[in-house]
Structure formats: structure tokens, C-alpha cells
Amino acid sequence: MSEQNHKQTSITITGMTCAACANRIEKGLKRTEGVQDANVNLAVEKASVSFDPSKTDLEALTKKIEDLGYGVAQEKAEFSITGMTCAACSNRIEKGLNRLEGVYQAHVNLALERATVEYNPAILQKSDLIGKVEALGYGAVDQHSEQEEGVDPKKKELDSQVRKLIFSAILSFPLLWSMVAHFQFTSFIWMPDLFMNPWFQLVLATPIQFIIGKQFYVGAYKALRNGSANMDVLVALGTSAAYFYSLYLSIRSLLNPSIPIELYYETSAILITLILLGKWLEARAKGHSSDAIKKLMGLRANTATVIKNGTEQQIPIEQVVVGDWLIIKPGEKIPVDGEVMEGQSAIDESMLTGESIPVEKKVGDEVIGATINKHGRLKIKATKVGRDTALAQIIRVVEEAQGSKAPIQRMADQISGIFVPIVVGIALLTFVIWYIWIAPADFAEALEKMIAVLVIACPCALGLATPTSIMAGSGRAAEMGILFKGGEHLESTQQIDTVILDKTGTVTHGKPVLTDVIPLGDHDEIDLLQMVGTAEKNSEHPLAQAIVNGIQEKGILIGDAESFQALPGYGIEAIVEGNQLLIGTRKLMASHGMMVEAVDQQMKKLESMGKTAMLIGINQQLAGIIAVADTIKESSPRAIQRLKELGIQVVMITGDNRQTAESVAKQVGIDQVIAEVLPEGKADEVQKLQEQGRKVAMVGDGINDAPALATADIGIAIGTGTDVAMETADLTLMRGDLNSVADAMIMSQKTMRNIKQNLFWALAYNSIGIPIAASGLLAPWLAGAAMAFSSVSVVLNALRLQKVNIK
């Protein structure tokens, strides 16, 4: 292999944990045909590979790494796309990007005019993606560079369209005047003779056709060059037919003035003007569909007061770094996520969670950026800044949801992909039928009917039907504290018929308190609590923390255990002051040979009151019973009732014993309980329901809920829970209120209903409009107006979702 045939590349690898991993990958790459040399650097997680591109390629190298059990880093790029006019355009760009080697997935959103591409940075660069879009005849600008440079191509393009619209309207007005005056019922309108002069009409129509309408010719040429057709093709064909036929008649009248002529300059000019007007109205309406993002961005503080070298300094929020100490005065927005270091106050978190009651914060509590400090002066330490803050992540989730595709959109995409060629065929057939049979040899009449068909059939409304509703619906949901991670989840949520609720932290507050201590035998209560507290302080379980807090509140000193082991689903085992201490379930005690039957009645009595009772064993002997109670959220009974009213089966799942679980379930109105489930068993219970044909949503807030959240058809994380649960879930509720689950179901139903309305009207519009135009009942300019406003009506219908109020 000669040196000039070598190609050198660098691949970022994920999943390596030690030198053995790096060695394994290196050996595997070197054994790959065509690879001359490979070096894997564990420290920077990169592989440097020299290979012969005639024998292997980057895709094969990537697959080799993945076959060895490791990952190749993916990058995600977002681009603003310019020049799209209809669904056929977005489909063409999407297919073109997806065909590129190294692209994992590409989505193009017509409503947002945005492309989101996941790709292998070892194979492709952003410039390659932009080049592909430009080769297809469109423009692409990296969104991050836009933000940094302050560039707004959409605004620039919209301003250009407004100028074209005004210019076109001014030139079209005399032509419109001449057309209106042609009708019998408007014959009383005075019309200057000049307006009927064919050369005057030609002078007005020509700049509209070739200067204002240049964009349609360019778009049509690029589409046809790439082997497809779009709205531009229809507009260019229709207006060109009217313009050039009129030009032919004008020249003929010059040669033989005695022949009467009927010109169609006004048809082409007014069509172009109406299409530009419709596009402008559509762009204005689409701008409103992203209002949710604008509102969220508007929540951010612009400056922060930081303590530098012992003095307070006000700096732009972009300059705050993790670890900075910030001063938050009463009434100020908290600039970044942080931890309270000094002070106490109530924080208004309503803009993020929807909760109207301020939340009390003290030293050690977390605060969220963009929330408002109501009363006291706080000193906080920045823990998350920039793109890592909760607000930035929320904005990112909403943007991704608005940019994603719902499965229902596939139908619209498939129809749009073949629609234009079919319409051209129908238009030609219409011309032939009129010219041969209906109006024999009347070229002008047949041409007019063909133009009407071409113009009214544009599939713009079909392309906008789904994405605009997804944008508006997910945006409104975000304002309610409901974050859908994608359009597919927004669609799937309304199909749910079974909701599984984790008990602790979901149905209940998740903050249990110590309620009962029952010593057994000759054990002293204080001594018993001291040993229990010493053991439980090593556990992170909420019940353990409740016990420790309750013991400390009694003023009992807690020491250090010699050893500690958590037994998930059973309890704990520890050595305290040389004694073996067991705290947990009946099964745990029985497994160590202790007879639990003698205390079973006492346990059942506590459990019947909704308390979690645990046994205490010291040196293989029962020493006592300790109980804690987790209070039920005030909103839970009403939320569960609402879910039942929606026809949803509600199931509660918990690791607690059945008696305690059923007591809680009875209080909130849940009929089905799955109790005494180990953390790893929750996902199995979800699968069992799915095997029965149920569409299951799992609602949880803890690390042990993550597998079940991932297994469920829809995983719903309570936002007050852990980051792991929220990362795994398809849907995050920013409030701890279970009513948000019902709200999410209703929002999904309303959004899907809105999408179906849009698709129905878009399809009905074309299905009805084409036959009407072909039958000669629709003038071309009316067809143009109908086509232009069909898109606007779809967008306006989608915007109704922004006004949805759920009570």
C-alpha cells in the first residue's frame, strides 16, 4: 500500500474504562482489512487510524468499533434552512442528508425551517452537511454560529419577501383593476384605456414574472435538477403558461390588430402576488407558534451580582462560572442554578413549575435559575451555568420536541412526495379534455383550466399540518410544566390506557416521618433508637433518613457503625457496638432464623394505618418495631379520579408491604396495587401489563424507577425527582402534582385532534379543489387565493392549541 493511498482519520470512542479496552480496540482495528496502522489513546478517548480507502471506509471502521462493544461519539447539529416552500422541499433535504455516509439520522421541520442532524464527526463535518443542503438548492446556516454572530436569516428573508410583496402589489393593481372591470356586474367601474393596452400590461407583468417570480423559477429548476418536484414547479408552470400565451397573443395582435384577443397577464401577476401574500401571512403565523420558546428565553436574567475579591460586582450572566458566589436581593431573578450558602427566603418557581405558592429555601437547598427571590437576601454558589442550567435544558427539550416528527407525519410526507407529479399529470389531462371535448380548439379556455388546477393543488397545507400543531402543542404543554421530549411521545401519550404510579414521592410526598417505636423484650427505647440511628445514618433510603431525623429531633446522640450493608428490597445489616443489627422486612428476619409470627398482629395494625413498619433484630433476636408514615399528596385523590374519568386504569406499584400499600391506595382511590416489588422487578411488572395488550405509562421519581420508565410505552418523570429518572423518561412533569399526568394526557389528545383536523382539511381542500378547478368553476386567480390562504388556515388552527386551558 503506497503512502499516497493512505487516509488518516481520528475517531472519538465512548465506553472505554481501562487500558485493556484501548488495547482491544486497537488490535481489532489493526486486524481490519485495509487498515495499515491504528493507535488508541485512552486519555483522550480517540483512535488514530491509517487506512486504504479502496479497501475499507470510515463506516466500516465505525462498525468494527461498535461490534467490539464500544461506541463512536455522535454529534448533533442544527441548521436554519432557507428556500423551502412546501413539504416536498423538506422531504428532499431530509432524504439527501440521510443518504450521506456518516449521518445517523436527519429530520427537517418545514414549520420551524430547521434541520436537525445526528452524525459521525469522524466521517463528516458541519461544512459537509451545509454543502449537501446547498447542492440540493437550499441554504443552511449553523444555528450556533447564528446565535454567536447575531445573524437571523429568517428575518432577513422575511424582510426581502415583504419588499417583493409590496413591489408586486403595486405593479399588479392596474392589472387587477382591468380584470375586475371585465365582469358584467362591475361594468360601471371606470377604467383607463391605457390599462387595456397589451403592451402596458406586458410592461407591468414582466418584472413580476421574472424579477419577483425569479424565486419560483430557481426553486423549480433546482427541484427538477435533483429529480423531484415541488410547489415552485406548479407555480412556475402555471404563471409561465399564462404569461407566455399572453405574450404570444400580444405579438399576434401587433401583426393583425383586427383579431380580438383575451390576455392573461393579470392571471400570472395576481397569482404571484397572492402566493407571496399567503407566504408572508404564513410566516407571521408560524412565528407565533414558537412563542413558548421566546417566553422561556425571556425568563432568563441578563446580569448577576457576584462576589469577587470580597466586593460585589455586576457582570453579564454569560460570565458567571461554576463555583462563583452570587448575591440575590429581594425581588431579583436568580441568574443560574445554585446552592444556598447564606440566608433564607421564599422563591417563586411558578414560571417553571406552575406552582403559585412560593417555596421556602434555606442553607443547603437548591435554587433554579430564572426563579424569583421574593423576600430575604441570599448568597448562593453557582452549580450549573449556561447550557447546563435547568431552564436551558427545558428550552432544549422544548426545541427538540418542536423540531421532531410525530409518526402521523409520515403519511403526509409520503403523499407530498408524489403529489406534484400527479398534479402536473391531472393538469395536462384537464387541458386535453377541455381542448378536445368540452371547448374544442379553444386554447385559451383549456389553458385557463389547466392553470387553475396547477395552482390550487399545492401541498403546502399538507406539509404544515403536523409540525405546526406539534410546535404549538408542545409549547403550550411546556408553559404548563409538562415537557414532551419529542413529537412521537406527544402522539403516543394519548394512546395510554394504563398508568402505573410509584407510591413514594409520586402518590405520596416521599418525605416520611418517624411515628412509632415499640421495644420488645427488655430493650430500652432510647438505647434501641440510638443503635437504629447509628445504623440507618449510613443509608440513603428516604425511610432511613426519616428515622434518623426523628431520632435526632428527640435529642438522642448517634454514633458510628463498625460496618454497614444495604439489602435492596429487604432492609439493612450493620454492626453497632459489636452487635449485629438487622432492620427491615419480615423476610429479612425470617432468613436469619427469627420467629416473626409473635409480632405479626402489631405489624398489621401499624400497616393498616398506612404506616411502613420495620422489624429490628439484634444478635438474631427480635428487639423492636419501628414505623414511619409517608403523607399522601393533597392533589393525589383528585388526580387519580381525573385519570379514571379519562378511561385510564390506574395501578400503584411499591416495594412496601401489601397492607401498607393497600391502605394508601384506598385513601387515594386506586383499585389495583402491586406491592412488595424489588426495584429490578418494576420493569417486569410493566412488561406483564404490556403483554396483556395494555399501553402503559410509568410515573416515577427515583433512580430505582429508571428501568421501568425506560420499559414503559411512555415514561413519565416527576420533575422533583432525580436527574436519572428524568433522563430516562419520555415526558417530564416539572411539578410534583399528579394532576400534571392527566393534563399531559389531555394535551396529547387535543394536539392529536388538532393534527387530524389539519390533515383532514388539507387533504379535503386538495381533493375538492382540484375537481372544481378542472371543471372550470374556479378562475386561476381565485385558485391562487385559495391555495395561499389554505396554509394560513392550517397554521391558525394549530395556534388554537396555545390558548388551551385545562381545568
Side-chain angles (χ1 to χ4, degrees), residues 28-36 51-52 55-57 60-61:
L29 288 170
K30 285 179 177 178
R31 291 193 193 106
T32 304
E33 184 185 2
V35 172
Q36 186 198 38
F51 64 98
D52 181 353
K55 295 182 178 179
T56 189
D57 55 24
L61 298 176

Side-chain angles (χ1 to χ4, degrees), residues 501-508 612 630 652-654 656 660-661 664:
L501 303 175
D502 180 55
K503 180 178 79 71
T504 306
T506 304
V507 176
T508 65
T612 300
D630 184 7
M652 189 177 78
I653 192 167
T654 179
D656 276 355
T660 302
V664 172

Side-chain angles (χ1 to χ4, degrees), residues 410-594:
R410 293 183 194 132
M411 178 188 72
D413 288 347
Q414 289 170 352
I415 294 171
S416 298
I418 60 171
F419 200 77
V420 174
I422 291 172
V423 168
V424 172
I426 293 172
L428 290 172
L429 183 62
T430 300
F431 176 85
V432 170
I433 291 171
W434 274 85
Y435 188 73
I436 295 176
W437 289 292
I438 301 178
D442 191 339
F443 185 86
E445 187 78 6
L447 180 69
E448 184 176 293
K449 306 309 180 273
M450 183 186 79
I451 293 170
V453 171
L454 285 171
V455 172
I456 200 166
C458 177
C460 298
L462 192 62
L464 291 167
T466 301
T468 46
S469 294
I470 293 290
M471 287 169 64
S474 59
R476 176 63 185 127
E479 291 173 3
M480 297 161 60
I482 302 166
L483 303 181
F484 289 95
K485 286 194 177 177
E488 65 275 21
H489 307 310
L490 184 55
E491 177 177 341
S492 300
T493 299
Q494 53 95 31
Q495 299 169 350
I496 294 299
D497 55 30
T498 304
V499 171
I500 301 178
L501 303 175
D502 180 55
K503 180 178 79 71
T504 306
T506 304
V507 176
T508 65
H509 282 107
K511 294 180 180 178
V513 294
L514 178 62
T515 57
D516 299 88
V517 181
I518 305 172
L520 299 175
D522 57 358
H523 289 280
D524 177 73
E525 181 177 326
I526 294 176
D527 291 340
L528 189 64
L529 287 175
Q530 190 171 34
M531 290 183 72
V532 169
T534 298
E536 291 284 18
K537 80 171 186 179
N538 296 287
S539 173
E540 295 180 356
H541 195 284
L543 297 183
Q545 292 172 6
I547 291 170
V548 171
N549 290 338
I551 291 170
Q552 288 176 331
E553 286 170 6
K554 294 177 181 287
I556 298 172
L557 296 176
I558 294 174
D560 294 314
E562 286 99 279
S563 69
F564 171 85
Q565 182 183 3
L567 307 170
Y570 294 97
I572 66 166
E573 180 178 357
I575 302 296
V576 179
E577 297 174 1
N579 297 299
Q580 183 200 39
L581 183 68
L582 296 170
I583 305 170
T585 63
R586 295 173 175 84
K587 288 181 181 178
L588 177 61
M589 301 302 154
S591 68
H592 283 75
M594 286 176 259

Side-chain angles (χ1 to χ4, degrees), residues 13 115 142 156 206 283 337 365 503 667 682 757 783:
I13 300 174
D142 182 12
K156 187 178 177 182
T206 300
D337 294 1
D365 287 343
K503 180 178 79 71
Q667 293 177 61
K682 290 183 179 181
Q757 288 168 355

Side-chain angles (χ1 to χ4, degrees), residues 133-342:
V133 174
E134 290 174 346
L136 291 169
Y138 303 90
V141 180
D142 182 12
Q143 286 209 317
H144 292 306
S145 65
E146 270 182 54
Q147 292 164 6
E148 290 167 8
E149 298 168 15
V151 177
D152 189 349
K154 290 183 186 176
K155 186 177 185 304
K156 187 178 177 182
E157 187 180 18
L158 187 60
D159 290 343
S160 172
Q161 290 288 64
V162 169
R163 288 193 296 271
K164 288 179 182 178
L165 174 60
I166 293 170
F167 183 43
S168 185
I170 292 170
L171 293 178
S172 297
F173 181 71
L175 297 172
L176 177 64
W177 191 336
S178 68
M179 184 186 72
V180 170
H182 268 88
F183 301 125
Q184 219 171 7
F185 63 89
T186 57
S187 56
F188 63 90
I189 297 175
W190 173 76
M191 182 178 60
D193 292 338
L194 177 66
F195 287 8
M196 292 301 296
N197 186 297
W199 304 108
F200 176 73
Q201 291 191 9
L202 176 65
V203 168
L204 293 177
T206 300
I208 297 174
Q209 188 71 33
F210 298 109
I211 298 176
I212 309 297
K214 178 184 175 183
Q215 65 192 68
F216 301 115
Y217 284 108
V218 171
Y221 167 72
K222 288 177 178 177
L224 293 171
R225 185 187 66 187
N226 287 291
S228 62
N230 62 359
M231 184 200 86
D232 291 330
V233 173
L234 297 179
V235 175
L237 279 174
T239 59
S240 295
Y243 176 85
F244 285 109
Y245 180 61
S246 299
L247 179 60
Y248 160 73
L249 292 177
S250 299
I251 295 170
R252 195 177 72 164
S253 71
L254 184 65
L255 299 174
N256 190 349
S258 62
I259 299 176
I261 58 172
E262 189 172 341
L263 302 175
Y264 292 91
Y265 288 121
E266 78 282 355
T267 299
S268 65
I270 292 167
L271 275 177
I272 289 172
T273 304
L274 285 172
I275 291 166
L276 289 177
L277 175 62
K279 284 292 174 188
W280 176 70
L281 291 172
E282 179 190 311
R284 286 282 305 272
K286 283 196 292 187
H288 289 301
S289 63
S290 58
D291 280 350
I293 296 288
K294 294 172 188 171
K295 286 178 184 176
L296 286 169
M297 288 181 169
L299 294 175
R300 295 183 295 196
N302 296 317
T303 60
T305 304
V306 299
I307 302 172
K308 297 275 189 184
N309 302 320
T311 61
E312 295 181 15
Q313 299 177 21
Q314 197 165 67
I315 62 173
I317 191 172
E318 294 81 13
Q319 295 179 17
V320 177
V321 297
V322 173
D324 278 351
W325 280 47
L326 290 80
I327 300 294
I328 316 294
K329 298 172 185 175
E332 286 186 342
K333 282 184 180 178
I334 296 173
V336 296
D337 294 1
E339 180 184 350
V340 178
M341 308 305 289
E342 291 182 21

